[in-house]
Amino acid sequence: DSGPGTLSGPNPCTTDASGNCSIELNSTTAGVVGLSAHATVSVAGLTLVRNTDGTGSNSGPATKTFVDARISVTPGQATNEVRNAHDFTAHVQVNNGTGWVDAPDGTSVSFTVSAPGTVTPSSCTTTSGACTVSVNSQTAAVVTVNASTTVTVGGLSLTRATGDNLPGDGSNATKTFVDARISITPGQATNEVRNAHDFTA
């Protein structure tokens, strides 16, 4: 009747000996779905039409709520000098079927980074759907930053992570740490006065 979703299976379906038949409803997006059933049946030579409209002894229509959650990390890419920490912020949102809102305050988000990077702290709790950690590296490298969360939406426990390829979830972030170095040779040398000597940087 309303909302997102598609039906699969025979429609109309044919009842079994117990008077039952089933159809499957699914949705790729969050929302509240209204679903009605309609039957035409012959009883003692009479054709009766019945609907799940709440009239007589008929039930009302069914309601199905599809819920969702999503997580992202910003910035998606960044470059820093080694030993200079950089902040990454995770943002978690939930949809109970009526639209996207920030996850409840206190939602826990866990972070992992690829070697040789480090993350401090390894987890944080959200305020207005977001929380921030610091990523650093002592050596030059490209570090991958992953964030994940498990959040309750409509009584269901949903796990979401960056880079999981689920619609709505962001990609993993990348952090490039760069470095440079300088040296001079020879480190020590002795010459007679008025005899120049070359040093190479």
Side-chain angles (χ1 to χ4, degrees), residues 87-161:
D87 288 346
F88 285 87
T89 298
H91 191 195
V92 182
Q93 292 185 302
V94 296
N95 190 332
N96 66 1
T98 60
W100 289 102
V101 296
D102 290 334
D105 288 356
T107 298
S108 180
V109 179
S110 298
F111 283 83
T112 58
V113 297
S114 61
T118 58
V119 57
T120 307
S122 60
S123 64
C124 57
T125 55
T126 62
T127 300
S128 299
C131 66
T132 299
V133 296
S134 181
V135 176
N136 207 349
S137 178
Q138 302 299 306
T139 58
V142 177
V143 175
T144 300
V145 182
N146 172 271
S148 61
T149 188
T150 298
V151 61
T152 300
V153 188
L156 299 178
S157 180
L158 305 181
T159 298
R160 296 291 185 266

Side-chain angles (χ1 to χ4, degrees), residues 40-67:
T40 300
V41 60
S42 178
V43 182
L46 297 178
T47 299
L48 306 181
V49 176
R50 294 293 183 264
N51 306 295
T52 54
D53 55 9
T55 62
S57 58
N58 301 311
S59 77
T63 300
K64 176 65 180 179
T65 302
F66 290 96
V67 299

